[in-house]
Amino acid sequence: MDAAIKSIRPGKPSDRQPENRPAELDPAEFLAAAVRADQPRPARAEAEAAVKTLLAYIGENTEREGLLDTPRRVVEAFDELYQGYHQCPAEVLDRTFGETAGYDDFVLVRDIEFTSQCEHHMMPFYGKAHIAYTPVERVVGLSKLARLTDIFARRLQTQEHLTAQIAAAIDEVLKPRGVAVLIEAEHTCMSVRGVAKHGASTFTSRFTGMFRDNPAEQARFLSLVRGTTR
Ligand SMILES: [Zn+2]
């Protein structure tokens, strides 16, 4: 795991090391990568043929009736699971309300459910994202934070990068006083293969601006997310 994105240990937010951000986690770079134009890609028939190859590889008879439509279905499922590559995060956040009406606290949306695919195994990981930002002038509709999460989740991801990309996009587009993102997820590449441990949660977080600089705000965010008021 990247040193810059530490797991949160419950009750010990003060344990965090001062942030030392490696170049690969530079927010501007992330955003540039995230909004790049679609890459040239193979034809659908080629993708379906590749699925057929995988079926043969695992020892299947690709001509048996139950599997005849499987390559097509798998590619269709891929279209859905990876549609985030064709969606622009900046566009989602672009429609803002200019009027904060003197509101000067952070806005928190918690328990945003998502499913993503790990880039190491192409297996699902899923869980919840909790996102807060403190607006300066620009406020977005609350559903936009959920939309933003989906755009990044519907790509091949690591949980660390998903966390950082969400924070970077909000930072770059809304220019808020700070962003806090906490993601908790279960990885099927760990629960159904490999060490096969069910129920293990992975936590990643990203704090910018006032959340990074002010431990009290960070702690307030974390206690709201942990739901002491739930
Ligand atoms: Zn994995």
Side-chain angles (χ1 to χ4, degrees):
M1 183 176 294
D2 291 304
I5 306 169
K6 288 176 44 118
S7 295
I8 298 301
R9 287 179 224 129
K12 294 168 86 178
S14 59
D15 253 2
R16 284 175 51 84
Q17 303 295 317
E19 190 167 28
N20 174 22
R21 181 182 296 174
E24 65 156 333
L25 291 180
D26 179 71
E29 197 177 305
F30 262 142
L31 200 63
V35 300
R36 73 185 184 283
D38 289 353
Q39 305 293 303
R41 49 181 183 152
R44 169 170 292 255
E46 288 177 80
E48 291 182 11
V51 175
K52 204 169 167 183
T53 300
L54 287 174
L55 287 170
Y57 174 76
I58 63 173
E60 266 292 356
N61 168 13
T62 59
E63 301 307 320
R64 73 177 173 85
E65 204 188 339
L67 293 181
L68 286 181
D69 269 343
T70 298
R72 179 184 57 78
R73 287 195 207 96
V74 170
V75 172
E76 272 177 22
F78 270 36
D79 285 343
E80 186 182 333
L81 294 174
Y82 299 111
Q83 60 185 286
Y85 288 107
H86 315 291
Q87 298 167 331
C88 176
E91 236 167 62
V92 168
L93 295 179
D94 218 27
R95 222 194 260 170
T96 54
F97 308 105
E99 189 53 74
T100 54
Y103 185 82
D104 63 355
D105 202 353
F106 63 71
V107 178
L108 164 68
V109 180
R110 75 178 181 197
D111 299 327
I112 301 169
E113 291 187 338
F114 72 90
T115 300
S116 188
Q117 314 292 319
C118 87
E119 69 182 27
H120 301 127
H121 304 93
M122 297 186 78
M123 291 180 72
F125 67 96
Y126 53 86
K128 289 174 177 175
H130 315 284
I131 304 173
Y133 73 103
T134 308
V136 175
E137 285 172 354
R138 310 181 70 191
V139 186
V140 280
L142 300 180
S143 67
K144 305 294 185 186
L145 298 181
R147 281 264 295 134
L148 181 73
T149 302
D150 276 342
I151 288 177
F152 286 120
R154 289 171 183 163
R155 302 171 183 211
L156 284 180
Q157 282 290 8
T158 67
Q159 186 176 326
E160 294 88 339
H161 285 180
L162 176 61
T163 308
Q165 286 170 355
I166 292 170
I170 298 170
D171 236 1
E172 290 286 317
V173 180
L174 298 184
K175 312 272 187 227
R177 284 171 55 211
V179 182
V181 180
L182 176 72
I183 293 183
E184 46 181 300
E186 180 170 338
H187 291 248
T188 59
C189 65
M190 193 171 127
S191 61
V192 306
R193 62 159 290 286
V195 293
K197 296 297 177 209
H198 287 271
S201 295
T202 302
F203 289 76
T204 47
S205 64
R206 183 75 162 173
F207 299 105
T208 74
M210 54 165 276
F211 289 100
R212 182 191 54 216
D213 301 336
N214 187 341
E217 288 301 303
Q218 218 176 89
R220 200 157 66 89
F221 165 77
L222 291 172
S223 77
L224 281 169
V225 165
R226 287 195 202 108
T228 45
T229 57
R230 200 174 305 197

